[in-house]
Amino acid sequence: FHESTIYSPVNSSTWTRVTVQLPDHVSSGATQFRWIQKEGTGERLSWGVDNVYIGEACPGLCSGHGYCTSGVVCICDEGYHGDDCSLSSKDLPSSIKDNFESGAVSPESWQLIHGGGVGSGCGQLSPHAHGDSLYFSGCKLRQAVTKPLDLTRASKIMFVLQIGNVAQTDSCNIALDQADTVDRAVLLQYSVNNGVSWHVIAQHQPKDFIKAQRVSYNIPLEARVKGVMLRWWQPRHDGAGHDQWALDHVEVVLLGLLPPQTFLQDSSPHLLPIPSRALTSALFCILLPLAWL
C-alpha cells in the first residue's frame, strides 16, 4: 500500500472536484484504486464520489478548471475556455494588500482559510506590524490561499511572518529543540492550475522566524500569468495549542510600484530584509574616499 491522499470535512464539506496527478509507481497492469472511510470511534460522515476519470492526462490537467473525458478532452467549468481551460472571461485582481485590521478575512483577497482566522494569538508582530494578524492554531489543516490573481504585471510578494514566540506562551509557541522542528516550517507556494499542483517559492524555518520578520520575494517568471493562486501552508504541526504562526501585511507589488524601503534577495531558503538606506550608506562610505583621490 502506498501513502494515501486524505480528505476530511475541513477541506471537503461541499462538493469539490479533485484532480490528482498519478505518480510513476502506479504505472502497471495490476494497479487498483480505492476510496475508503476508515473506522473510527466518532460519528461516521456520509460521502460520495462521481465523475471518476482515470487515464491519460488532459492538456495542463484542465488547469484545475475542468475535467477530463475519454479522448483526452477537457470539459471546462463555466467562465473558462480553451483546450486546457486556462482562458477566463473574468477580470482577476492584479494585487493584494491586506493588514487584517478589518476584524475579518477579506473575501475579495482570500479563497480559503483553514485552521486560522484574524486574531492576536501571537501578539503584535512588532516592529514590522501592529494590531491583529492572520493567526493559525487549528488542529488539522493550516493554510491561507488567495483568490486567483492576474500576476502578469506583478513584481514581488511581501509579508510579515512569525512562527511561535520567544516568550513561548500558550497561544503561540514552538519547540525548537525537537529533531523534527524543520518539518514545521511555513511554505510559500503558487499554483497555476487552481490548486491541483503547488510550487514552492520559499520555506520559512521556525528558528529563523521565532521573532517576526518582514520578507520579500520576486514573483517567479512561471507565476507571472493569469489565474495564479498563492498559498501559505504549514505541512506538519502538533495540533491545537502548538506550533502556531501568524501572517500580516501581505502585499503583492506591481512592477514599478515598489515602496520606499526595498529588500535584497539571495538564494537562501528564507530571505531577511536589508533596508535600502543601509545599502546606500555603505556605498557612500566606499565611494566617498575614492572621490578624494
Side-chain angles (χ1 to χ4, degrees):
F1 295 96
H2 295 282
E3 184 177 354
S4 61
T5 300
I6 299 174
Y7 302 95
S8 62
V10 72
N11 58 2
S12 56
S13 56
T14 59
W15 286 105
T16 304
R17 178 184 297 116
V18 177
T19 301
V20 177
Q21 190 165 11
L22 298 178
D24 292 337
H25 61 247
V26 305
S27 299
S28 75
T31 300
Q32 295 178 289
F33 300 88
R34 73 173 178 178
W35 289 256
I36 182 173
Q37 185 177 36
K38 293 184 177 181
E39 295 288 345
T41 56
E43 180 183 356
R44 296 289 296 274
L45 300 171
S46 60
W47 57 283
V49 294
D50 200 359
N51 287 341
V52 176
Y53 172 85
I54 301 174
E56 186 178 352
C58 279
L61 300 178
C62 300
S63 302
H65 295 293
Y67 60 91
C68 283
T69 61
S70 299
V72 199
V73 176
C74 285
I75 305 298
C76 300
D77 295 339
E78 183 178 354
Y80 294 88
H81 59 281
D83 292 340
D84 59 355
C85 303
S86 62
L87 303 177
S88 173
S89 56
K90 307 173 185 176
D91 291 329
L92 302 177
S94 58
S95 63
I96 286 180
K97 191 171 184 179
D98 199 344
N99 60 7
F100 307 106
E101 293 305 311
S102 64
V105 174
S106 168
E108 290 77 22
S109 299
W110 302 95
Q111 180 157 300
L112 293 171
I113 303 291
H114 289 141
V118 175
S120 57
C122 281
Q124 299 190 35
L125 307 191
S126 60
H128 309 287
H130 302 279
D132 286 339
S133 58
L134 191 55
Y135 166 70
F136 292 86
S137 184
C139 62
K140 294 182 180 179
L141 183 64
R142 293 180 184 176
Q143 67 173 1
V145 183
T146 68
K147 291 274 192 179
L149 303 168
D150 179 358
L151 298 185
T152 53
R153 297 191 303 112
S155 171
K156 293 182 179 291
I157 172 71
M158 308 169 70
F159 54 91
V160 177
L161 176 67
Q162 181 174 315
I163 306 174
N165 195 308
V166 174
Q168 296 286 49
T169 63
D170 291 340
S171 63
C172 196
N173 58 81
I174 184 79
L176 295 177
D177 57 347
Q178 294 187 10
D180 63 348
T181 299
V182 294
D183 297 332
R184 303 166 198 223
V186 175
L187 306 183
L188 170 63
Q189 302 172 300
Y190 73 91
S191 174
V192 296
N193 52 21
N194 200 35
V196 173
S197 58
W198 293 93
H199 307 278
V200 176
I201 298 176
Q203 58 176 310
H204 309 89
Q205 295 297 337
K207 67 181 180 63
D208 301 310
F209 288 86
I210 191 73
K211 293 182 179 180
Q213 300 285 352
R214 182 171 176 83
V215 293
S216 170
Y217 301 102
N218 287 327
I219 300 292
L221 293 178
E222 296 80 5
R224 297 187 185 189
V225 295
K226 292 183 179 179
V228 180
M229 299 164 67
L230 299 172
R231 173 169 82 159
W232 288 259
W233 172 49
Q234 186 181 35
R236 296 185 181 182
H237 55 82
D238 278 347
H242 303 278
D243 308 320
Q244 301 95 331
W245 52 284
L247 184 68
D248 208 348
H249 282 264
V250 176
E251 184 175 2
V252 172
V253 183
L254 299 180
L255 286 169
L257 295 179
L258 282 175
Q261 178 162 312
T262 57
F263 299 84
L264 295 182
Q265 297 200 32
D266 56 30
S267 58
S268 59
H270 65 275
L271 305 178
L272 301 181
I274 300 177
S276 59
R277 183 177 301 174
L279 177 62
T280 303
S281 299
L283 291 175
F284 179 78
C285 291
I286 294 172
L287 294 177
L288 185 57
L290 293 178
W292 291 343
L293 296 179

